[in-house]
Amino acid sequence: ALERTFSIIKPDAVAKNLIGAIYQRFEAAGLKIVASKMVHLSREQAEGFYAEHSERPFFKALVGFMTSGPVMVQVLEGEDAVRRNREIMGATNPADALAGTLRADYANSIDENAVHGSDAPASAAREIAYFFSDEEICPRTR
Ligand code: CMP
C-alpha cells in the first residue's frame, strides 16, 4: 500500500555531511521526500519523541546524543514505505546491518547509528504528527 514513514538523519550523520548521500538512497529506492526540515532538538523534544524508551538503560545517552547537534527530519512516501525504509537503514546495531545499508555504511555504533525510521505504520503516524503539521506535508501529484 502507499504509505508514509518518518525518518531522522541523526547528529552523527549530519556532522559527517551525509544529508545528500542519505537523501539519494531514499530517492533511489523510490521513496519520495514529502516534508523535510533541519531542527536542533531540545531535551524536552527528544525525551518526548523517545518516551517509549524512557525506562531503558540507554535513554539518557540517547537523549544526550540526539540533542548534541542538528538533525534532519523527513516524511518519506511510497509503496510499503515503512518496511522499505527499514530495509535501506539496516539493523539498529551497525555490527548486524547488511552490507550496503545506511547503518552498515555510515553508523559509528548502536548509539550513533546515523538514521531513525518508524518501525510500523502506527508509530509512523504518531512520529510524523510529532514533528509536522498537515500543511508542512506536500503530497506528490506528479
Ligand atoms: P532509534 O531507531 O533512533 O530508536 C532508539 C535508539 O536507541 C536506537 O535507534 C539506537 O540508536 C539507540 N539504542 C542504544 N542502545 C540500544 C539498544 N540496546 N536497543 C535499541 N536501541 C538502542
Side-chain angles (χ1 to χ4, degrees):
L2 187 67
E3 284 178 351
R4 288 179 181 167
T5 192
F6 177 73
S7 162
I8 303 178
I9 300 179
K10 296 188 180 187
D12 57 325
V14 172
K16 289 193 239 176
N17 241 8
L18 290 169
I19 296 168
I22 293 172
Y23 273 24
Q24 190 155 8
R25 299 277 185 105
F26 295 150
E27 294 190 327
L31 294 170
K32 294 177 176 177
I33 298 160
V34 296
S36 168
K37 60 190 170 190
M38 182 174 274
V39 283
H40 193 141
L41 298 178
S42 66
R43 186 158 63 81
E44 291 69 25
Q45 269 178 309
E47 286 175 348
F49 181 75
Y50 282 120
E52 65 185 296
H53 295 304
S54 61
E55 302 307 316
R56 306 284 290 274
F58 57 82
F59 184 67
K60 202 155 183 266
L62 174 62
V63 170
F65 168 60
M66 290 301 291
T67 57
S68 67
V71 300
M72 290 296 298
V73 293
Q74 46 278 329
V75 179
L76 308 176
E77 186 176 84
E79 273 302 307
D80 229 354
V82 172
R83 196 171 54 84
R84 193 173 291 194
N85 183 44
R86 291 182 70 77
E87 282 174 9
I88 296 168
M89 290 193 298
T92 304
N93 186 344
D96 301 328
L98 294 179
T101 61
L102 289 169
R103 270 126 170 204
D105 289 345
Y106 299 139
N108 296 331
S109 66
I110 191 171
D111 298 295
E112 302 197 1
N113 66 349
V115 283
H116 165 83
S118 307
D119 63 4
S123 45
R126 180 179 59 75
E127 293 175 359
I128 289 168
Y130 192 83
F131 282 103
F132 292 100
S133 67
D134 287 348
E135 301 72 50
E136 288 178 297
I137 302 172
C138 303
R140 302 293 188 81
T141 53
R142 52 179 287 175

